[in-house]
Amino acid sequence: MAHDHETRRKVRAAFVQGMPLTSAAEINHVRYATARKWKADDAKSGNDWDIARNARRMSSSGVEAFANQVMDGLDCSGPVKPNHPLQSVDKRALLAIFELFGRRLPE
């Protein structure tokens, strides 16, 4: 059975939003093998569904969660809290993050 471009777009959108490919295919009445083929074909042409999915995850929570972890681990009046996982993070990386938030890195 041939599927229109809109069905393919819906499967991709569901996958990028976090749904497993099997479920994205099922709710759009597409065989899993077809969805896998669409995903592989798009990846070959530069439209990688996994990259889009990971970018969406990072933009919606990943970067923000990391930034919050950094901000929680550091206090503008002192060094990284003892035994905090960020103790070993390169100071240049922390400086870049703090600059993004308009804060100064503690000396």
Side-chain angles (χ1 to χ4, degrees):
M1 178 178 156
H3 297 282
D4 62 2
H5 182 70
E6 182 64 16
T7 303
R8 184 176 183 152
R9 188 197 63 73
K10 286 179 180 178
V11 171
R12 181 188 184 279
F15 177 78
V16 168
Q17 291 173 5
M19 188 174 287
L21 188 58
T22 52
S23 301
E26 185 178 334
I27 66 165
N28 287 287
H29 310 290
V30 174
R31 289 185 29 208
Y32 174 65
T34 301
R36 259 192 11 229
K37 182 176 180 341
W38 289 345
K39 184 175 179 269
D41 290 347
D42 281 356
K44 288 178 189 171
S45 68
N47 180 11
D48 192 312
W49 295 14
D50 291 315
I51 290 174
R53 184 181 200 171
N54 291 335
R56 182 180 185 282
R57 283 181 179 162
M58 285 185 67
S59 68
S60 64
S61 66
V63 173
E64 185 178 336
F66 177 74
N68 286 335
Q69 182 181 12
V70 169
M71 301 304 248
D72 290 345
L74 297 173
D75 178 329
C76 285
S77 63
V80 177
K81 295 175 184 174
N83 300 319
H84 192 278
L86 293 172
Q87 277 185 312
S88 63
V89 173
D90 181 21
K91 191 169 182 175
R92 290 171 296 166
L94 293 176
L95 180 59
I97 292 168
F98 269 68
E99 286 176 356
L100 285 173
F101 287 91
R103 293 176 64 179
R104 296 192 52 177
L105 188 64
E107 296 298 322

